[in-house]
């Protein structure tokens, strides 16, 4: 196996590398992160979001659902379990500022795990969002809370929820790949907040409902399809190598190491949502048609949007890349 070659071989190489981290003889520390490394990570993420429609599709679909429920609200509070570099929220701010009646005030409470999030990265995201908000003249605040606090069950947490705030939750399934066992706790916590809407993303490789070996094979097939879609773009090889090394390979490590820490099988995530008292919402016709327009603007043929149950799914050659869904409590 090699990081050079056909998509399946490259995907298998990254999974082999991740599995080797589980061996007792392995002493490498994957969590060490330098400023230098972070520059590469941000660059890889930026390149990925420019050449692949995945990030745009995910952000647009979820944000459109949020905009529709925020109609007429003066105070917006987003509880976020995957703040990343904050690109989704910069786009949402931009849309909110343009709407009739002016922009509402916006607050983000982002939950992050000290074991998997880097302080430098979080600091970068916070500064970027604050700077952007001041540029567009928007009343904005962001607070970071420890995900581990949820694990202690010490509720209610000191969440500063204001009166007349419209609460929405961003809950991508992939953000729990490092610690799949915490998802039921998080769902119970979210239910207590009574949000107007919960938006979620499923990458198709988050399968804790099957045994460990099947989960790994399923994730391998999923990443193989993703690499195929990147190869079709026919991009600069150096840029592709950086995307794989600094963005995709760490994601694969998270899946493998996280599942190995929590080997027991769990119900499919959709079943967990429904058992926790959530019911699926259907995306509006406008959201559907705009998502399709977004994909049609992609220069590469082979991407398309499908509607499955209440989810909107971005596919590459019939293979699912990412699915967006919305829920109410």
């Amino acid at each position: 196996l090699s990081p050079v070659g056909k998509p399946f071989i490259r995907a298998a190489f990254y999974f082999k590398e991740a599995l080797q981290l589980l061996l007792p003889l392995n002493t490498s520390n994957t969590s060490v992160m330098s400023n230098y490394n972070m520059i590469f990570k941000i660059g890889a993420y930026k390149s990925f979001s420019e050449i692949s429609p995945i990030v745009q599709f995910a952000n647009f679909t979820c944000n459109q659902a949020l905009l529709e429920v925020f109609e007429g609200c003066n105070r917006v509070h987003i509880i976020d379990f995957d703040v990343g570099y904050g690109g989704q929220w910069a786009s949402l701010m931009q849309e909110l500022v343009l709407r009739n009646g002016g922009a509402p005030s916006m607050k983000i409470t982002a939950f992050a795990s000290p074991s998997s999030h880097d302080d430098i990265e979080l600091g970068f995201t916070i500064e970027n969002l604050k700077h952007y908000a001041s540029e567009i003249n928007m009343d904005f605040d962001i607070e970071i809370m420890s995900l581990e606090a949820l694990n202690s069950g010490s509720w209610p947490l000191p969440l500063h929820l204001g009166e007349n705030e419209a609460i929405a939750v961003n809950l991508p399934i992939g953000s729990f790949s490092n610690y799949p066992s915490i998802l039921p706790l998080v769902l119970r916590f979210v239910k207590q907040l009574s949000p107007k809407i919960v938006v979620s993303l499923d990458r198709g490789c988050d399968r804790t409902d099957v045994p460990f070996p099947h989960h790994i094979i399923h994730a391998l097939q999923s990443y193989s399809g993703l690499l195929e879609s990147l190869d079709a773009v026919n991009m600069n090889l150096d840029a592709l190598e950086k995307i794989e090394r600094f963005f995709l390979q760490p994601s694969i490590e998270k899946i493998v190491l996280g599942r190995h820490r929590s080997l027991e099988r769990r119900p499919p995530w959709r079943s967990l949502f429904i058992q926790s008292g959530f019911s699926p919402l259907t995306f509006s016709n406008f959201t559907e048609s705009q998502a399709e327009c977004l994909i049609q603007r992609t220069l590469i043929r082979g991407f398309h949007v499908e509607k499955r149950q209440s989810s909107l799914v971005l596919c590459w050659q019939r293979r699912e890349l990412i699915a967006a869904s919305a829920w109410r409590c």
Side-chain angles (χ1 to χ4, degrees):
L1 294 171
S2 155
V4 179
K6 291 191 181 301
F8 183 80
I9 295 296
R10 300 200 315 268
F13 170 80
Y14 298 129
F15 275 91
K16 182 266 293 182
E17 293 285 291
L19 287 164
Q20 280 186 324
L21 295 174
L22 302 174
L23 300 177
L25 295 174
N26 193 292
T27 55
S28 65
N29 184 354
T30 56
S31 63
V32 172
M33 164 110 161
S34 64
N35 288 0
Y36 182 67
N37 231 7
M38 193 186 88
I39 292 164
F40 278 124
K41 275 185 77 177
I42 293 168
Y45 176 77
K46 190 169 181 291
S47 298
F48 177 75
S49 54
E50 284 168 357
I51 67 148
S52 171
I54 289 176
V55 174
Q56 274 188 307
F57 167 83
N59 289 354
F60 168 80
T61 308
C62 292
N63 280 356
Q64 188 54 40
L66 295 174
L67 285 166
E68 287 166 15
V69 300
F70 289 157
E71 194 62 50
C73 299
N74 295 324
R75 294 158 65 83
V76 167
H77 191 155
I78 290 162
I79 313 296
D80 187 11
F81 288 91
D82 189 18
V83 71
Y85 298 120
Q88 177 178 357
W89 305 131
S91 304
L92 184 67
M93 286 180 199
Q94 194 177 30
E95 292 296 328
L96 287 169
V97 164
L98 295 173
R99 76 179 191 177
N100 290 337
S105 69
M106 180 169 164
K107 175 167 183 181
I108 295 173
T109 299
F111 280 90
S113 168
S115 61
S116 63
H117 280 79
D118 186 87
D119 286 343
I120 303 167
E121 244 180 76
L122 277 175
F124 171 82
T125 298
I126 290 164
E127 285 312 305
N128 262 4
L129 286 172
K130 284 183 172 176
H131 178 70
Y132 185 68
S134 69
E135 275 194 336
I136 61 173
N137 215 13
M138 187 177 198
D139 181 10
F140 174 75
D141 187 28
I142 181 166
E143 183 178 11
I144 306 294
M145 297 195 75
S146 167
L147 190 60
E148 269 74 358
L150 288 179
N151 228 344
S152 67
S154 56
W155 301 333
L157 286 169
L159 264 189
H160 309 302
L161 300 176
E163 283 184 38
N164 305 320
E165 270 186 351
I167 299 170
V169 179
N170 180 48
L171 191 67
I173 302 307
S175 57
F176 299 100
S177 56
N178 236 9
Y179 20 73
S181 58
I182 201 176
L183 182 57
L185 278 171
V186 168
L187 291 172
R188 282 200 346 248
F189 166 68
V190 167
K191 185 88 167 69
Q192 289 181 358
L193 297 174
S194 301
K196 274 181 169 284
I197 191 171
V198 176
V199 289
S200 189
L201 294 167
D202 170 22
R203 301 170 301 176
C205 56
D206 305 304
R207 293 291 305 274
T208 53
D209 57 316
V210 294
F212 179 74
H214 295 104
H215 185 184
I216 298 306
I217 290 166
H218 189 85
L220 165 60
Q221 290 167 336
S222 185
Y223 271 88
S224 174
L226 173 55
L227 290 177
E228 264 179 44
S229 75
L230 290 177
D231 277 9
V233 178
N234 201 15
M235 67 183 296
N236 174 297
L237 280 179
D238 181 53
L240 181 60
E241 189 184 310
K242 285 190 170 72
I243 287 172
E244 291 184 14
R245 184 176 162 201
F246 293 103
F247 178 59
L248 299 182
Q249 191 172 2
S251 300
I252 288 168
E253 284 175 7
K254 265 189 180 181
I255 290 169
V256 173
L257 300 179
R259 182 60 199 274
H260 192 258
R261 273 196 296 272
S262 181
L263 282 171
E264 68 272 25
R265 290 168 64 174
R266 303 182 175 278
W269 71 265
R270 281 180 170 276
S271 301
L272 281 175
F273 270 54
I274 290 161
Q275 285 165 19
S276 302
F278 293 74
S279 54
L281 284 169
T282 305
F283 287 108
S284 67
N285 291 336
F286 177 76
T287 305
E288 279 184 49
S289 59
Q290 289 298 102
E292 282 169 6
C293 286
L294 181 80
I295 301 311
Q296 281 163 11
R297 290 204 300 271
T298 306
L299 297 174
I300 307 302
R301 292 287 154 260
F303 293 103
H304 64 279
V305 178
E306 284 184 16
K307 191 174 177 181
R308 295 187 192 164
Q309 297 166 316
S310 53
S311 298
L312 284 181
V313 185
L314 175 62
C315 299
W316 163 257
Q317 309 286 23
R318 314 298 303 170
R319 292 165 83 170
E320 184 177 317
L321 292 176
I322 197 160
S325 59
W327 302 77
R328 71 155 61 92
C329 292

